């Protein structure tokens, strides 16, 4: 449920991936526009209204997404979907980043804060060209990072076996010019290689020092 | 009267202002929250508590009202969903012992009553009042 560009483009993207989508939109005019341009069932109404949820087929839904601009509407809609209609997975957008952990305590499967995500992206993009944090996986227990090997690195010309990666870290692939290499122990590292690293946060610093990227 | 309590009233419309004024005049320490400063004009002259201008769906606003220290929280804005959200935060996160939420929609009221949130539905109350006042023949 939701309105505006976010709901529109998400619905469009998921529909094109073959998911069966129902959009609940509070704005009647926008609901009409959505219904004409989306491959989705569009219902005009309030997503936190139990009757509307039931009309939208909440009984059969696998996931309910609360994407409106109001935290409270997202919370209540997701809770009703979950508790009243047994929807197994609920995802809520929060505007106030402080509400994210609270929503998860109140039973929402996943709460995400667009503010937080955008702030992180901006920080990463402005921090360093050599290191890019691509994404945290499993709530940040694993990080996927991209690192460019600079001239100053001491490990160029060595094989992956020789450099002895710390435990809890892995070079998942190497981007070398146009090629993507899935490395083995005997792969030799070169300057300007871009390494895609998978690491547990506690070993990340060790890994960066080894690669000479810090 | 009973011992003075620390009471947070969320929403200072017609209902909120009556509750806040009445509770304050009974000697309780009352904090009332509303996003519009002009709403505080609804409070009677008996009100001697604090006013906080802010949106109660923002956690820092609830914190600044010291909702985590309250004995009682009344969620009486004109929006059901805000009331239900604030009530759950007060009850489940801040462990406030008495929490009451106003919910207009009887369907939503029933669902949340089953989850253990104490709700009062003006719609239901007035329906009962109307029905009780129709003479039976």
């Amino acid at each position: 449920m939701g309105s505006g560009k976010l709901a529109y483009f998400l619905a469009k993207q998921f529909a094109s991936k073959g998911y069966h989508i129902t959009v609940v939109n509070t704005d009647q005019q926008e609901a009409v526009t959505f219904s004409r341009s989306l491959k989705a069932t569009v219902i005009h109404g309030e997503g936190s209204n139990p009757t509307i949820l039931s009309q939208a087929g909440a009984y059969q839904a696998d996931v309910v997404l609360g994407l409106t601009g109001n935290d409270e509407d997202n919370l209540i809609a997701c809770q009703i979907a979950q508790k009243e209609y047994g929807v197994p997975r609920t995802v809520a957008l929060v505007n106030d980043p402080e509400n994210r952990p609270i929503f998860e305590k109140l039973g929402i499967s996943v709460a995400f804060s667009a503010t937080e995500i955008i702030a992180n992206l901006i920080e990463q993009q402005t921090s360093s060209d050599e290191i890019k944090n691509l994404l945290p996986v499993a709530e940040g227990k694993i990080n996927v990072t991209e690192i460019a090997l600079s001239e100053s690195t001491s490990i160029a010309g060595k094989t992956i076996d020789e450099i002895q990666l710390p435990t809890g870290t892995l070079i998942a692939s190497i981007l070398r010019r146009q090629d993507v290499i899935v490395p083995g122990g005997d792969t030799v590292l070169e300057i300007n290689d871009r390494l895609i690293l998978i690491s547990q946060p506690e070993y990340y610093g060790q890994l960066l020092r080894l690669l000479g990227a810090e | 009267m009973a011992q003075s309590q620390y009471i947070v009233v969320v929403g200072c419309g017609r209902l909120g202002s009556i509750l806040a004024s009445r509770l304050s005049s009974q000697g309780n320490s009352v904090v009332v929250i509303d996003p519009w400063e002009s709403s505080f004009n609804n409070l009677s002259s008996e009100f001697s508590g604090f006013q906080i201008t802010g949106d109660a769906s923002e956690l820092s606003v609830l914190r600044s009202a010291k909702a985590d220290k309250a004995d009682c929280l009344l969620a009486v804005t004109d929006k059901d969903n805000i009331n239900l959200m604030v009530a759950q935060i007060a009850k489940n996160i801040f462990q406030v012992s008495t929490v009451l939420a106003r919910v207009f929609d009887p369907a939503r009221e029933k669902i949340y009553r089953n989850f253990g949130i104490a709700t009062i539905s003006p719609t239901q109350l007035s329906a009962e009042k109307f029905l009780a006042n129709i003479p039976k023949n």
Side-chain angles (χ1 to χ4, degrees):
Chain A
M1 58 215 52
S3 50
K5 299 264 196 285
L6 178 66
Y8 175 78
F9 285 109
L10 277 180
K12 195 172 155 181
Q13 205 165 69
F14 285 132
S16 74
K17 285 182 179 166
Y19 293 98
H20 189 80
I21 312 284
T22 302
V23 181
V24 178
N25 190 320
T26 47
D27 182 326
Q28 186 170 10
Q29 256 186 329
E30 199 176 59
V32 172
T33 317
F34 276 22
S35 71
R36 289 191 182 130
S37 47
L38 284 174
K39 254 198 311 189
T41 312
V42 181
I43 292 178
H44 167 233
E46 208 197 323
S48 50
N49 181 335
T51 319
I52 297 283
L53 272 179
S54 137
Q55 278 171 12
Y59 278 115
Q60 294 135 31
D62 299 311
V63 187
V64 166
L65 303 167
L67 301 171
T68 76
N70 298 322
D71 290 4
E72 65 276 10
D73 296 342
N74 296 337
L75 173 74
I76 303 303
C78 285
Q79 284 185 325
I80 293 179
Q82 184 183 48
K83 297 180 180 176
E84 192 71 6
Y85 298 109
V87 177
R89 212 168 154 73
T90 51
V91 180
L93 170 71
V94 301
N95 297 283
D96 179 359
E98 283 198 285
N99 275 338
R100 196 174 55 77
I102 300 236
F103 276 27
E104 289 178 358
K105 270 187 207 150
L106 295 178
I108 304 301
S109 326
V110 179
F112 68 96
S113 156
T115 325
E116 239 174 10
I117 292 171
I118 294 170
N120 284 343
L121 282 176
I122 293 172
E123 274 181 7
Q124 282 164 21
Q125 292 308 319
T126 49
S127 61
S128 159
D129 282 346
E130 283 179 3
I131 306 173
K132 282 187 191 152
N133 281 317
L134 300 181
L135 69 159
V137 183
E139 288 148 9
K141 287 184 194 132
I142 305 169
N143 275 307
V144 181
T145 324
E146 181 184 332
I147 286 182
L149 289 183
S150 64
E151 313 265 313
S152 61
T153 181
S154 58
I155 57 163
K158 291 186 181 165
T159 67
I160 289 178
D161 276 343
E162 281 168 342
I163 62 169
Q164 294 187 330
L165 288 170
T167 44
T169 66
L170 175 74
I171 299 177
S173 62
I174 299 174
L175 312 178
R176 183 173 295 163
R177 291 174 290 275
Q178 311 308 323
D179 303 329
V180 178
I181 304 166
V182 177
D186 53 358
T187 307
V188 178
L189 297 167
E190 291 178 14
I191 287 171
N192 292 331
D193 278 356
R194 299 194 75 85
L195 311 181
I196 306 294
L197 307 169
I198 296 177
S199 61
Q200 291 172 276
E202 53 267 46
Y203 302 109
Y204 181 63
Q206 232 178 311
L207 179 64
L208 284 191
R209 279 192 291 281
L210 176 74
L211 300 176
E214 203 184 48
Chain B
M1 60 156 271
Q3 221 187 337
S4 161
Q5 298 195 72
Y6 181 43
I7 301 174
V8 177
V9 177
V10 181
C12 192
R14 279 170 297 205
L15 178 61
S17 61
I18 294 177
L19 291 171
S21 304
R22 197 79 66 84
L23 289 164
S24 175
S25 73
Q26 288 171 1
N28 298 292
S29 26
V30 178
V31 175
V32 57
I33 306 175
D34 199 282
W36 308 109
E37 211 161 342
S38 57
S39 317
F40 299 128
N41 298 335
N42 294 330
L43 292 164
S44 81
S45 54
E46 295 165 301
F47 180 79
S48 60
F50 288 97
Q51 303 159 357
I52 291 180
T53 312
D55 181 347
S57 70
E58 200 181 320
L59 199 67
S60 59
V61 171
L62 285 180
R63 277 216 203 87
S64 69
K66 301 207 167 50
D68 50 335
K69 304 264 175 4
D71 303 304
C72 171
L73 180 138
L74 307 175
V76 291
T77 73
D78 57 357
K79 295 199 182 86
D80 282 2
N81 291 349
I82 295 237
N83 295 344
L84 286 168
M85 172 168 145
V86 169
Q88 290 183 75
I89 292 175
K91 193 175 154 69
N92 301 332
I93 313 282
F94 294 149
Q95 323 284 348
V96 177
S97 54
T98 309
V99 177
L100 287 169
R102 166 164 71 167
V103 181
F104 290 97
D105 177 9
R108 237 168 284 192
E109 196 236 341
K110 192 167 145 253
I111 295 174
Y112 278 86
R113 195 154 17 90
N114 294 340
F115 304 162
I117 298 290
T119 51
I120 290 175
S121 164
T123 320
Q124 208 74 33
L125 289 178
S126 32
E128 277 157 26
K129 202 84 181 167
F130 270 103
L131 292 172
N133 281 292
I134 296 173
K136 293 186 180 71
N137 42 11

